[in-house]
Short mmCIF file of all heavy atoms in Angstrom, two decimals:
data_model
loop_
_atom_site.label_atom_id
_atom_site.label_comp_id
_atom_site.label_asym_id
_atom_site.label_seq_id
_atom_site.Cartn_x
_atom_site.Cartn_y
_atom_site.Cartn_z
N VAL A 1127 0.82 -1.20 0.00
CA VAL A 1127 0.00 0.00 0.00
C VAL A 1127 0.86 1.26 0.00
O VAL A 1127 0.43 2.33 -0.45
CB VAL A 1127 -0.96 -0.01 1.20
CG1 VAL A 1127 -0.19 0.25 2.51
CG2 VAL A 1127 -2.09 1.03 1.02
N SER A 1128 2.08 1.17 0.49
CA SER A 1128 2.96 2.35 0.50
C SER A 1128 3.38 2.76 -0.90
O SER A 1128 3.89 3.87 -1.10
CB SER A 1128 4.20 2.07 1.34
OG SER A 1128 4.94 0.98 0.81
N ALA A 1129 3.18 1.88 -1.90
CA ALA A 1129 3.54 2.22 -3.28
C ALA A 1129 2.47 3.07 -3.95
O ALA A 1129 2.70 3.59 -5.05
CB ALA A 1129 3.77 0.94 -4.08
N PHE A 1130 1.30 3.19 -3.32
CA PHE A 1130 0.22 4.00 -3.88
C PHE A 1130 0.15 5.34 -3.15
O PHE A 1130 0.60 5.46 -2.00
CB PHE A 1130 -1.12 3.28 -3.76
CG PHE A 1130 -1.18 2.00 -4.56
CD1 PHE A 1130 -0.74 0.80 -4.02
CD2 PHE A 1130 -1.69 2.01 -5.84
CE1 PHE A 1130 -0.79 -0.37 -4.75
CE2 PHE A 1130 -1.76 0.83 -6.58
CZ PHE A 1130 -1.30 -0.36 -6.04
N ALA A 1131 -0.44 6.31 -3.79
CA ALA A 1131 -0.59 7.65 -3.20
C ALA A 1131 -1.95 8.21 -3.56
O ALA A 1131 -2.54 7.87 -4.61
CB ALA A 1131 0.53 8.58 -3.70
N GLY A 1132 -2.46 9.05 -2.69
CA GLY A 1132 -3.72 9.71 -2.97
C GLY A 1132 -4.90 8.79 -2.92
O GLY A 1132 -4.93 7.79 -2.17
N PRO A 1133 -5.94 9.04 -3.75
CA PRO A 1133 -7.18 8.23 -3.74
C PRO A 1133 -6.94 6.78 -4.12
O PRO A 1133 -7.64 5.88 -3.64
CB PRO A 1133 -8.06 8.93 -4.78
CG PRO A 1133 -7.53 10.32 -4.89
CD PRO A 1133 -6.04 10.22 -4.65
N SER A 1134 -5.96 6.51 -4.97
CA SER A 1134 -5.69 5.12 -5.37
C SER A 1134 -5.26 4.27 -4.18
O SER A 1134 -5.57 3.07 -4.12
CB SER A 1134 -4.62 5.08 -6.46
OG SER A 1134 -3.41 5.67 -5.99
N ALA A 1135 -4.54 4.86 -3.23
CA ALA A 1135 -4.14 4.12 -2.03
C ALA A 1135 -5.35 3.74 -1.19
O ALA A 1135 -5.44 2.63 -0.66
CB ALA A 1135 -3.16 4.95 -1.21
N LEU A 1136 -6.32 4.68 -1.09
CA LEU A 1136 -7.53 4.40 -0.32
C LEU A 1136 -8.34 3.30 -0.98
O LEU A 1136 -8.86 2.39 -0.31
CB LEU A 1136 -8.36 5.67 -0.18
CG LEU A 1136 -9.69 5.53 0.57
CD1 LEU A 1136 -9.45 5.05 1.99
CD2 LEU A 1136 -10.46 6.84 0.54
N ILE A 1137 -8.48 3.38 -2.32
CA ILE A 1137 -9.23 2.35 -3.05
C ILE A 1137 -8.56 0.99 -2.89
O ILE A 1137 -9.23 -0.03 -2.63
CB ILE A 1137 -9.34 2.74 -4.54
CG1 ILE A 1137 -10.18 4.00 -4.70
CG2 ILE A 1137 -9.94 1.58 -5.35
CD1 ILE A 1137 -10.22 4.54 -6.12
N PHE A 1138 -7.24 0.94 -3.07
CA PHE A 1138 -6.50 -0.33 -2.91
C PHE A 1138 -6.68 -0.89 -1.51
O PHE A 1138 -6.89 -2.10 -1.33
CB PHE A 1138 -5.01 -0.09 -3.21
CG PHE A 1138 -4.16 -1.30 -3.02
CD1 PHE A 1138 -4.16 -2.33 -3.95
CD2 PHE A 1138 -3.33 -1.41 -1.90
CE1 PHE A 1138 -3.35 -3.46 -3.76
CE2 PHE A 1138 -2.54 -2.54 -1.71
CZ PHE A 1138 -2.54 -3.56 -2.65
N ASP A 1139 -6.62 -0.03 -0.50
CA ASP A 1139 -6.77 -0.47 0.89
C ASP A 1139 -8.16 -1.06 1.12
O ASP A 1139 -8.31 -2.13 1.72
CB ASP A 1139 -6.54 0.73 1.81
CG ASP A 1139 -5.67 0.35 3.00
OD1 ASP A 1139 -4.98 -0.68 2.93
OD2 ASP A 1139 -5.67 1.08 4.01
N ASN A 1140 -9.19 -0.38 0.63
CA ASN A 1140 -10.56 -0.83 0.88
C ASN A 1140 -10.87 -2.13 0.12
O ASN A 1140 -11.52 -3.03 0.66
CB ASN A 1140 -11.55 0.26 0.47
CG ASN A 1140 -11.49 1.47 1.40
OD1 ASN A 1140 -11.09 1.34 2.56
ND2 ASN A 1140 -11.88 2.63 0.90
N VAL A 1141 -10.41 -2.23 -1.12
CA VAL A 1141 -10.66 -3.44 -1.91
C VAL A 1141 -9.99 -4.65 -1.25
O VAL A 1141 -10.59 -5.73 -1.12
CB VAL A 1141 -10.17 -3.25 -3.35
CG1 VAL A 1141 -10.19 -4.59 -4.10
CG2 VAL A 1141 -11.03 -2.23 -4.09
N CYS A 1142 -8.73 -4.48 -0.84
CA CYS A 1142 -8.01 -5.59 -0.19
C CYS A 1142 -8.69 -5.99 1.10
O CYS A 1142 -8.81 -7.19 1.41
CB CYS A 1142 -6.57 -5.18 0.08
SG CYS A 1142 -5.54 -5.03 -1.40
N MET A 1143 -9.16 -5.02 1.87
CA MET A 1143 -9.80 -5.34 3.14
C MET A 1143 -11.10 -6.11 2.91
O MET A 1143 -11.38 -7.08 3.62
CB MET A 1143 -10.07 -4.05 3.91
CG MET A 1143 -10.67 -4.26 5.29
SD MET A 1143 -10.74 -2.74 6.27
CE MET A 1143 -11.79 -1.72 5.23
N ILE A 1144 -11.88 -5.70 1.91
CA ILE A 1144 -13.15 -6.39 1.63
C ILE A 1144 -12.90 -7.81 1.13
O ILE A 1144 -13.53 -8.78 1.58
CB ILE A 1144 -13.97 -5.59 0.61
CG1 ILE A 1144 -14.43 -4.27 1.23
CG2 ILE A 1144 -15.18 -6.39 0.14
CD1 ILE A 1144 -15.09 -3.32 0.24
N VAL A 1145 -11.95 -7.96 0.18
CA VAL A 1145 -11.67 -9.29 -0.38
C VAL A 1145 -11.15 -10.23 0.70
O VAL A 1145 -11.61 -11.38 0.81
CB VAL A 1145 -10.66 -9.17 -1.54
CG1 VAL A 1145 -10.21 -10.56 -1.98
CG2 VAL A 1145 -11.28 -8.42 -2.71
N LEU A 1146 -10.19 -9.77 1.49
CA LEU A 1146 -9.64 -10.61 2.55
C LEU A 1146 -10.70 -10.96 3.60
O LEU A 1146 -10.73 -12.08 4.12
CB LEU A 1146 -8.46 -9.91 3.21
CG LEU A 1146 -7.19 -9.78 2.36
CD1 LEU A 1146 -6.15 -8.91 3.08
CD2 LEU A 1146 -6.59 -11.16 2.06
N GLY A 1147 -11.60 -10.00 3.88
CA GLY A 1147 -12.66 -10.26 4.86
C GLY A 1147 -13.62 -11.32 4.36
O GLY A 1147 -14.00 -12.23 5.11
N VAL A 1148 -14.03 -11.24 3.09
CA VAL A 1148 -14.96 -12.23 2.53
C VAL A 1148 -14.32 -13.62 2.50
O VAL A 1148 -14.94 -14.62 2.86
CB VAL A 1148 -15.40 -11.80 1.11
CG1 VAL A 1148 -16.17 -12.92 0.43
CG2 VAL A 1148 -16.24 -10.53 1.18
N VAL A 1149 -13.05 -13.69 2.07
CA VAL A 1149 -12.36 -14.98 2.00
C VAL A 1149 -12.23 -15.59 3.39
O VAL A 1149 -12.43 -16.81 3.58
CB VAL A 1149 -10.98 -14.82 1.34
CG1 VAL A 1149 -10.20 -16.12 1.43
CG2 VAL A 1149 -11.14 -14.39 -0.11
N THR A 1150 -11.92 -14.77 4.38
CA THR A 1150 -11.78 -15.28 5.75
C THR A 1150 -13.09 -15.85 6.27
O THR A 1150 -13.12 -16.93 6.88
CB THR A 1150 -11.31 -14.14 6.67
OG1 THR A 1150 -10.06 -13.63 6.21
CG2 THR A 1150 -11.14 -14.65 8.10
N VAL A 1151 -14.17 -15.14 6.03
CA VAL A 1151 -15.48 -15.64 6.48
C VAL A 1151 -15.81 -16.96 5.80
O VAL A 1151 -16.27 -17.92 6.45
CB VAL A 1151 -16.58 -14.58 6.19
CG1 VAL A 1151 -17.96 -15.18 6.45
CG2 VAL A 1151 -16.37 -13.35 7.05
N LEU A 1152 -15.57 -17.06 4.49
CA LEU A 1152 -15.87 -18.30 3.76
C LEU A 1152 -15.03 -19.47 4.25
O LEU A 1152 -15.54 -20.59 4.42
CB LEU A 1152 -15.65 -18.08 2.26
CG LEU A 1152 -16.63 -17.13 1.56
CD1 LEU A 1152 -16.23 -16.95 0.10
CD2 LEU A 1152 -18.06 -17.65 1.65
N VAL A 1153 -13.73 -19.22 4.49
CA VAL A 1153 -12.85 -20.30 4.95
C VAL A 1153 -13.29 -20.80 6.32
O VAL A 1153 -13.32 -22.02 6.57
CB VAL A 1153 -11.39 -19.82 4.98
CG1 VAL A 1153 -10.51 -20.83 5.72
CG2 VAL A 1153 -10.87 -19.61 3.57
N ASN A 1154 -13.67 -19.91 7.21
CA ASN A 1154 -14.11 -20.33 8.54
C ASN A 1154 -15.42 -21.09 8.48
O ASN A 1154 -15.62 -22.05 9.23
CB ASN A 1154 -14.24 -19.10 9.45
CG ASN A 1154 -12.90 -18.63 9.99
OD1 ASN A 1154 -12.28 -19.26 10.83
ND2 ASN A 1154 -12.44 -17.50 9.47
N ILE A 1155 -16.32 -20.67 7.58
CA ILE A 1155 -17.57 -21.40 7.43
C ILE A 1155 -17.31 -22.82 6.92
O ILE A 1155 -17.88 -23.80 7.40
CB ILE A 1155 -18.52 -20.64 6.47
CG1 ILE A 1155 -19.02 -19.36 7.13
CG2 ILE A 1155 -19.70 -21.52 6.07
CD1 ILE A 1155 -19.85 -18.48 6.21
N VAL A 1156 -16.40 -22.93 5.93
CA VAL A 1156 -16.06 -24.26 5.39
C VAL A 1156 -15.42 -25.13 6.46
O VAL A 1156 -15.75 -26.33 6.58
CB VAL A 1156 -15.11 -24.11 4.18
CG1 VAL A 1156 -14.55 -25.47 3.77
CG2 VAL A 1156 -15.82 -23.46 3.02
N PHE A 1157 -14.53 -24.56 7.27
CA PHE A 1157 -13.88 -25.34 8.33
C PHE A 1157 -14.89 -25.83 9.36
O PHE A 1157 -14.85 -26.99 9.79
CB PHE A 1157 -12.80 -24.51 9.01
CG PHE A 1157 -12.15 -25.19 10.17
CD1 PHE A 1157 -11.28 -26.26 9.99
CD2 PHE A 1157 -12.42 -24.79 11.48
CE1 PHE A 1157 -10.68 -26.91 11.06
CE2 PHE A 1157 -11.82 -25.43 12.56
CZ PHE A 1157 -10.95 -26.49 12.35
N ILE A 1158 -15.80 -24.97 9.77
CA ILE A 1158 -16.82 -25.36 10.75
C ILE A 1158 -17.72 -26.45 10.16
O ILE A 1158 -18.07 -27.43 10.84
CB ILE A 1158 -17.64 -24.14 11.18
CG1 ILE A 1158 -16.75 -23.17 11.97
CG2 ILE A 1158 -18.83 -24.57 12.04
CD1 ILE A 1158 -17.41 -21.85 12.29
N ALA A 1159 -18.10 -26.29 8.88
CA ALA A 1159 -18.96 -27.29 8.24
C ALA A 1159 -18.25 -28.63 8.13
O ALA A 1159 -18.83 -29.69 8.42
CB ALA A 1159 -19.38 -26.79 6.86
N LEU A 1160 -16.97 -28.61 7.71
CA LEU A 1160 -16.20 -29.85 7.61
C LEU A 1160 -16.06 -30.52 8.98
O LEU A 1160 -16.14 -31.75 9.09
CB LEU A 1160 -14.83 -29.58 7.02
CG LEU A 1160 -14.74 -29.41 5.50
CD1 LEU A 1160 -13.32 -29.05 5.08
CD2 LEU A 1160 -15.19 -30.68 4.79
N SER A 1161 -15.85 -29.72 10.01
CA SER A 1161 -15.71 -30.27 11.36
C SER A 1161 -16.98 -30.99 11.79
O SER A 1161 -16.94 -32.10 12.35
CB SER A 1161 -15.37 -29.16 12.36
OG SER A 1161 -14.15 -28.53 12.02
N CYS A 1162 -18.14 -30.38 11.51
CA CYS A 1162 -19.42 -31.01 11.86
C CYS A 1162 -19.63 -32.29 11.07
O CYS A 1162 -20.07 -33.31 11.63
CB CYS A 1162 -20.56 -30.03 11.62
SG CYS A 1162 -20.53 -28.57 12.70
N VAL A 1163 -19.32 -32.24 9.77
CA VAL A 1163 -19.51 -33.42 8.92
C VAL A 1163 -18.60 -34.55 9.38
O VAL A 1163 -19.02 -35.72 9.48
CB VAL A 1163 -19.24 -33.07 7.45
CG1 VAL A 1163 -19.18 -34.33 6.60
CG2 VAL A 1163 -20.31 -32.13 6.93
N LYS A 1164 -17.32 -34.25 9.64
CA LYS A 1164 -16.37 -35.28 10.09
C LYS A 1164 -16.83 -35.89 11.41
O LYS A 1164 -16.78 -37.12 11.61
CB LYS A 1164 -14.98 -34.70 10.26
CG LYS A 1164 -14.33 -34.22 8.97
CD LYS A 1164 -13.99 -35.37 8.05
CE LYS A 1164 -13.25 -34.86 6.81
NZ LYS A 1164 -12.96 -35.98 5.86
N SER A 1165 -17.28 -35.05 12.34
CA SER A 1165 -17.72 -35.56 13.65
C SER A 1165 -18.93 -36.48 13.50
O SER A 1165 -18.97 -37.56 14.10
CB SER A 1165 -18.06 -34.38 14.55
OG SER A 1165 -18.48 -34.82 15.82
N MET A 1166 -19.90 -36.09 12.67
CA MET A 1166 -21.09 -36.93 12.48
C MET A 1166 -20.74 -38.21 11.73
O MET A 1166 -21.30 -39.27 12.02
CB MET A 1166 -22.16 -36.14 11.72
CG MET A 1166 -22.79 -35.03 12.55
SD MET A 1166 -24.21 -34.24 11.73
CE MET A 1166 -23.39 -33.48 10.32
N THR A 1167 -19.82 -38.12 10.77
CA THR A 1167 -19.42 -39.31 10.01
C THR A 1167 -18.76 -40.35 10.90
O THR A 1167 -19.05 -41.55 10.83
CB THR A 1167 -18.47 -38.93 8.86
OG1 THR A 1167 -19.12 -37.99 8.01
CG2 THR A 1167 -18.06 -40.15 8.06
N VAL A 1168 -17.83 -39.89 11.76
CA VAL A 1168 -17.16 -40.80 12.68
C VAL A 1168 -18.16 -41.43 13.64
O VAL A 1168 -18.11 -42.64 13.91
CB VAL A 1168 -16.05 -40.06 13.45
CG1 VAL A 1168 -15.50 -40.94 14.57
CG2 VAL A 1168 -14.92 -39.67 12.51
N GLY A 1169 -19.08 -40.62 14.16
CA GLY A 1169 -20.10 -41.17 15.05
C GLY A 1169 -20.95 -42.22 14.38
O GLY A 1169 -21.27 -43.25 14.97
#
C-alpha cells in the first residue's frame, strides 16, 4: 500500500480489506462445516 498515493491508495486499501474479509469468512464457514460433517461421520 505504500507504493500508492492519494485516492488510489484508499481504493487499494478498501478493496483488499473487503476481499480478505470475505475470503476469511468463507474459509471459517467451510472449516466449521467440515468439522461437523467429520464428527457426524465418525459417530
Side-chain angles (χ1 to χ4, degrees):
V1127 72
S1128 61
F1130 296 86
S1134 60
L1136 178 60
I1137 294 174
F1138 178 75
D1139 223 19
N1140 290 335
V1141 170
C1142 290
M1143 183 171 60
I1144 292 172
V1145 171
L1146 290 173
V1148 171
V1149 173
T1150 301
V1151 171
L1152 291 177
V1153 169
N1154 281 289
I1155 291 175
V1156 170
F1157 176 72
I1158 293 173
L1160 281 176
S1161 299
C1162 294
V1163 170
K1164 295 292 184 182
S1165 180
M1166 290 188 294
T1167 301
V1168 170

